[in-house]
Amino acid sequence: MEITVDGLKINYEFRGEGEETVVILEGWGTSIPVYDSIAKVLAAKYRVLLFDLPGFGESDEPKSAWSVDDYVDFLLHFLKELGVHKVILLGHSYGGRMIIKLAARGQEEVEISRIVLVDSAGVMPKKTLWKRIKQARYKFYKKLAGTRIAQKICPELIADWKSRQGSADYRNASPIMKGCLVKAVNEDLTALFPKVTKDVLLIWGDKDTATPLSDAQLMESKMPSAGLAVVEGTGHYCFLEKPQIFQNILRAYFEI
């Protein structure tokens, strides 16, 4: 289905029936089908809302580079348009970042009953000495590549160097979505964790390198009502890598 919210066409669908609605918020660059297995489990008890965030899947891109707060504002407008006022929120990676922001606001526009964070983003990685060296080297080469002499002498080398910079998510993104990603990764949400007072289930892959297990342990220690379930031998997509174990955790938590 499709709905227009804030001038953007948004791809969405409902699955299952129930008095409560579970809203699944996607990880960066993913789309609705990635979360089919999660929705199938939850739809046995709840109405499940899946949608592509602006700039993800089949939904329109935002007109400018949005911050995480802009995405949260959009989410509230989207839920209002659909008449959804009470929710259970489940977020993977970037979606988890949005949930943390929303839950910490203490707003009254939508009632959150409980939260599930799956390999959630939100903790800014510590800058090791090697990372600081790499950052300094990047800035030097970026400045060098911007000179007229370099652009005239070796334009192909410069183009090749630029194409290899940043994460795969960054390289594959459009200019606007690159701006959104930069705003997100440069914001540390650690100070907000104590404000997330709802019941929180953290589900994490112990081999996750994008958002390491230490991030989950930090969230568990700082969020007043958080518990952690670890899916051993999995990375950033624990729900895809060991779906049966992940689904059993959901069934136990939601008593399905």
Side-chain angles (χ1 to χ4, degrees):
M1 294 184 284
E2 188 178 275
I3 188 173
T4 299
V5 180
D6 294 346
L8 303 176
K9 292 180 181 179
I10 303 300
N11 178 44
Y12 77 100
E13 57 186 79
F14 281 106
R15 298 185 192 174
E17 296 180 358
E19 295 182 1
E20 287 190 89
T21 300
V22 179
V23 180
I24 296 179
L25 296 175
E26 304 166 329
W28 186 267
T30 59
S31 59
I32 288 175
V34 174
Y35 304 91
D36 281 343
S37 61
I38 298 177
K40 185 177 181 179
V41 172
L42 296 174
K45 184 175 181 179
Y46 302 98
R47 182 174 69 155
V48 180
L49 171 58
L50 302 101
F51 72 103
D52 288 328
L53 291 166
F56 294 29
E58 297 179 29
S59 292
D60 288 347
E61 280 191 0
K63 300 296 190 295
S64 59
W66 281 5
S67 66
V68 180
D69 279 306
D70 291 327
Y71 270 98
V72 171
D73 290 340
F74 170 83
L75 172 62
L76 292 173
H77 299 164
F78 175 68
L79 294 176
K80 185 177 181 179
E81 284 291 325
L82 293 177
V84 176
H85 305 291
K86 182 177 180 180
V87 296
I88 296 169
L89 296 176
L90 185 152
H92 170 239
S93 194
Y94 185 86
R97 189 186 286 273
M98 289 176 60
I99 292 172
I100 293 167
K101 275 278 194 174
L102 176 59
R105 285 185 179 184
Q107 50 73 48
E108 298 179 354
E109 295 172 76
V110 63
E111 182 183 348
I112 303 170
S113 59
R114 62 171 96 177
I115 293 167
V116 180
L117 299 178
V118 182
D119 296 297
S120 175
V123 179
M124 185 179 292
K126 293 181 180 179
K127 289 188 177 180
T128 62
L129 176 60
W130 173 238
K131 286 183 178 180
R132 290 197 293 269
I133 291 172
K134 285 180 67 176
Q135 187 177 47
R137 185 173 63 185
Y138 168 77
K139 289 181 178 180
F140 170 76
Y141 283 127
K142 183 180 180 181
K143 185 175 182 180
L144 181 64
T147 64
R148 290 184 179 181
I149 294 177
Q151 291 173 358
K152 186 175 181 179
I153 295 175
C154 48
E156 292 181 358
L157 285 175
I158 292 174
D160 178 66
W161 176 79
K162 287 183 177 180
S163 70
R164 291 184 283 106
Q165 301 310 303
S167 65
D169 284 338
Y170 182 81
R171 294 194 300 271
N172 294 330
S174 69
I176 284 178
M177 296 310 291
K178 283 180 179 176
C180 295
L181 184 57
V182 168
K183 287 184 177 182
V185 299
N186 285 325
E187 186 175 15
D188 190 352
L189 306 186
T190 303
L192 299 181
F193 295 167
K195 298 180 180 180
V196 181
T197 58
K198 300 296 182 181
D199 190 75
V200 180
L201 171 63
L202 304 161
I203 311 179
W204 233 266
D206 64 339
K207 305 299 181 185
D208 192 339
T209 56
T211 55
L213 184 58
S214 58
D215 290 2
Q217 293 165 339
L218 180 62
M219 291 180 190
E220 184 183 27
S221 69
K222 290 185 174 293
M223 293 179 180
S225 300
L228 172 62
V230 179
V231 184
E232 295 184 357
T234 64
H236 196 55
Y237 290 82
C238 62
F239 59 96
L240 296 179
E241 295 169 52
K242 289 192 176 179
Q244 195 60 54
I245 294 175
F246 183 90
Q247 290 165 29
N248 287 341
I249 293 171
L250 285 185
R251 289 191 181 96
Y253 180 65
F254 287 105
E255 299 180 339
I256 297 174

